[in-house]
Amino acid sequence: FEFERSSESAFSRGDRELSAQAMKSIVDSLRSTKMQLESKMHGTILNDIDQQIKGIQTPTPTFGLPPIQQSPTAAALFKARSMSAYVSNELSRIEFLDKQIDQYLVEIYKKYAIPAACVVFVLIGVPLGIMSRRGGFGAAATLSLGFFLIYWAFLIGGEKLADRDIVEPFVGMWSANILLGLLG
């Protein structure tokens, strides 16, 4: 019956359970990293194009491979393939950062959209309560369950679409509130 201190990691929060302010700082950090990657890639590409235009022969980075002792066409082809691989790699890193940013933005917007749904349901519930007074409990329960299912489907669907970068995170998380709010 002795008290033991639990480990700190047992109660640590996951990335998506952080406060909105903490997630905003993570989003800012990810955006900064993305801008640095884009700037670096842009500079590398412009530098390579500039060298090609000027005709300066610079050694091609071979990443530990022996230097190319082939024709100029083969060397140019190797350089083009190397640049293509570099650009493809950097673009996939930027795409990954975009997905992470969108996932955090979805969670930030969700923290505000779900509480705002209370106001939306009041706007819908009061007129429906007045209209379905004569229908009894069954009609009121059916209507309320129907609106809840519509809200839930929009919320879950919007979250999935925003996480997959199909729609903007704001649209994904607030579309249910906007639609039902207008309806209310």
Side-chain angles (χ1 to χ4, degrees):
F1 293 112
E2 293 181 25
F3 289 111
E4 292 183 22
R5 182 175 287 263
S6 60
S7 65
E8 293 290 325
S9 63
F11 298 105
S12 64
R13 292 182 169 189
D15 283 347
R16 290 184 159 207
E17 297 172 350
L18 297 171
S19 67
Q21 191 63 32
M23 283 193 273
K24 284 179 186 177
S25 67
I26 291 172
V27 167
D28 290 341
S29 172
L30 290 172
R31 283 183 176 154
S32 172
T33 303
K34 178 186 165 191
M35 287 180 13
Q36 289 172 353
L37 280 174
E38 288 172 343
S39 174
K40 178 184 168 195
M41 185 176 72
H42 187 257
T44 302
I45 291 171
L46 287 180
N47 186 28
D48 187 64
I49 290 172
D50 190 44
Q51 288 177 0
Q52 294 300 321
I53 290 173
K54 290 179 181 177
I56 298 173
Q57 297 297 324
T58 58
T60 304
T62 57
F63 307 106
L65 300 173
I68 299 176
Q69 301 294 332
Q70 297 174 351
S71 69
T73 306
L77 186 59
F78 176 78
K79 186 154 181 98
R81 286 181 181 154
S82 173
M83 184 55 71
S84 174
Y86 169 75
V87 169
S88 175
N89 183 39
E90 294 300 307
L91 287 176
S92 67
R93 288 175 64 190
I94 290 170
E95 183 180 324
F96 176 74
L97 287 173
D98 276 337
K99 285 188 178 188
Q100 280 188 316
I101 289 170
D102 284 347
Q103 288 174 350
Y104 280 109
L105 287 176
V106 164
E107 292 301 318
I108 291 169
Y109 289 133
K110 190 193 308 184
K111 288 185 181 293
Y112 298 110
I114 290 176
C118 296
V119 175
V120 171
F121 281 118
V122 166
L123 291 175
I124 291 174
V126 171
L128 286 178
I130 293 170
M131 288 175 18
S132 68
R133 180 187 269 177
R134 294 182 193 146
F137 179 74
T142 303
L143 285 173
S144 63
L145 182 63
F147 279 106
F148 172 74
L149 288 176
I150 290 170
Y151 178 81
W152 179 76
F154 266 89
L155 188 69
I156 297 299
E159 181 178 1
K160 297 298 179 192
L161 290 174
D163 277 343
R164 294 179 184 153
D165 203 20
I166 296 172
V167 298
E168 290 294 318
F170 179 84
V171 173
M173 296 313 302
W174 282 93
S175 62
N177 286 344
I178 293 169
L179 176 75
L180 292 179
L182 290 174
L183 189 64

